[in-house]
């Protein structure tokens, strides 16, 4: 089995699982519609000068893509429990091709979630210059790298029973402390704490559409540092898990 064949198989298998797809990106979309629907005429949300459709579109995009990316950990944990990983190890598929297929599938889910939310935002009247759309998407793709590595690490360290609560609670906390649901302000403990988290810069990638600029040097440094550390953790978790199996 080649790496390309396995990647295509992973994509088909994932996008045929309707229940998994809803939990990955259907829920953020439904939540967005439920929140924005009653406020579709709101053009100055909490005196920010921003429409409700725009503000919650970019907020849901940061959260939805993070959840979609981390979902690869749940799939890996499930495959470990069923013995599928052990079956793959007796095939010619290399570990690198296996991990690449997982990451590509996770990105496909994240980009689908983002596209659906952007389409819903446009349907509710969001209009942005093309440059802002492209800049947002580019920064989001980079900001998701640490979460791809984290998903791989969790999938090879946690069981099916434990990874669900960890992912649910972890993403909720990260969304809260990173300013997904409300602005953090320019100072204070929460603001300073968030500056060191990749989830904060994922949110800031989306804030390009809210009149903000791109990432600062600090943002790039934080995201790349977390990506490097979590990539090492993912490789360690994968090797430790496969050595036992």
């Amino acid at each position: 089995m080649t790496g390309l064949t396995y990647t295509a198989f992973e994509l088909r298998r994932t996008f045929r699982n309707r229940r998994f797809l809803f939990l990955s990106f259907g829920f953020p979309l439904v939540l967005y519609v439920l929140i924005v629907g009653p406020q579709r005429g709101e053009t100055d949300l909490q005196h920010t000068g921003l429409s409700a459709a725009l503000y919650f579109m970019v907020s849901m995009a940061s959260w939805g893509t993070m959840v979609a990316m981390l979902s690869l950990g749940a799939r890996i944990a499930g495959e470990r429990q069923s013995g599928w990983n052990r079956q793959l190890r007796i095939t010619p598929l290399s570990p690198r091709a296996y991990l690449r297929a997982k990451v590509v599938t996770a990105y496909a889910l994240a980009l689908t979630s983002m596209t659906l939310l952007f389409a819903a935002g446009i349907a509710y009247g969001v209009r942005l210059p093309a440059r802002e759309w492209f800049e947002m998407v580019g920064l989001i793709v980079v900001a998701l790298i640490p979460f791809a590595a984290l998903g791989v690490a969790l999938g090879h360290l946690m069981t099916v029973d434990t990874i669900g609560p960890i992912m649910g609670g972890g993403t909720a906390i990260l969304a809260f402390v990173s300013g997904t649901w409300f602005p953090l302000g320019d100072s204070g403990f929460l603001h300073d704490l968030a500056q060191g988290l990749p989830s904060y810069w994922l949110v800031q990638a989306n804030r390009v559409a809210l009149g903000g600029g791109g990432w600062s040097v600090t943002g790039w440094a934080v995201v790349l540092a977390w990506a490097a550390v979590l990539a090492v953790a993912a490789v360690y978790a994968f090797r430790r898990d496969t050595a036992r199996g």
Side-chain angles (χ1 to χ4, degrees):
M1 182 187 298
T2 66
L4 184 60
T5 301
Y6 181 68
T7 300
F9 167 75
E10 275 290 301
L11 289 169
R12 287 196 302 269
R13 184 171 66 128
T14 300
F15 280 87
R16 286 176 178 173
N17 189 333
R18 297 180 181 179
R19 180 180 301 176
F20 179 77
L21 289 181
F22 175 77
L23 294 175
S24 295
F25 53 76
F27 181 69
L29 179 62
V30 171
L31 189 58
Y32 173 74
V33 172
L34 291 175
I35 293 174
V36 175
Q39 304 182 73
R40 65 175 64 192
E42 177 60 70
T43 58
D44 186 20
L45 185 67
Q46 296 183 2
H47 307 294
T48 60
L50 303 169
S51 69
L54 174 58
Y55 182 86
F56 288 110
M57 181 191 76
V58 294
S59 295
M60 286 295 174
S62 63
W63 179 62
T65 53
M66 178 171 61
V67 170
M69 186 59 69
L70 288 175
S71 68
L72 76 91
R75 296 200 302 279
I76 291 174
E79 291 174 357
R80 289 173 55 230
Q81 181 176 358
S82 67
W84 175 244
N85 284 26
R86 288 192 296 273
Q87 293 296 321
L88 286 177
R89 287 200 288 274
I90 65 175
T91 71
L93 185 70
S94 67
R96 180 175 297 180
Y98 165 79
L99 293 174
R100 183 170 58 243
K102 295 299 184 187
V103 172
V104 168
T105 302
Y107 262 106
L109 285 171
L111 292 176
T112 300
S113 175
M114 180 173 57
T115 300
L116 290 174
L117 285 164
F118 286 176
I122 292 172
Y124 279 118
V126 173
R127 298 292 184 269
L128 298 171
R131 180 190 62 81
E132 293 185 359
W133 288 110
F134 284 116
E135 187 174 358
M136 270 200 306
V137 173
L139 290 177
I140 289 169
V141 168
V142 176
L144 290 174
I145 295 175
F147 296 100
L150 180 59
V152 172
L154 291 175
H156 285 284
L157 291 174
M158 303 297 169
T159 66
V160 173
D161 293 331
T162 58
I163 196 168
I166 289 174
M167 284 179 52
T171 54
I173 293 172
L174 286 175
F176 176 79
V177 301
S178 300
T180 300
W181 311 119
F182 56 88
L184 294 179
D186 298 325
S187 61
F189 172 76
L190 198 58
H191 174 269
D192 295 340
L193 173 65
Q195 292 273 313
L197 298 173
S199 52
Y200 172 81
W201 297 103
L202 175 58
V203 173
Q204 293 306 305
N206 292 307
R207 290 300 186 261
V208 169
L210 304 184
W215 289 345
S216 63
V217 174
T218 301
W220 284 100
V222 169
V223 170
L224 294 179
W226 275 104
V229 170
L230 291 173
V232 171
V235 171
Y236 168 78
F238 175 78
R239 289 177 176 173
R240 178 174 177 269
D241 184 41
T242 53
R244 292 186 305 178

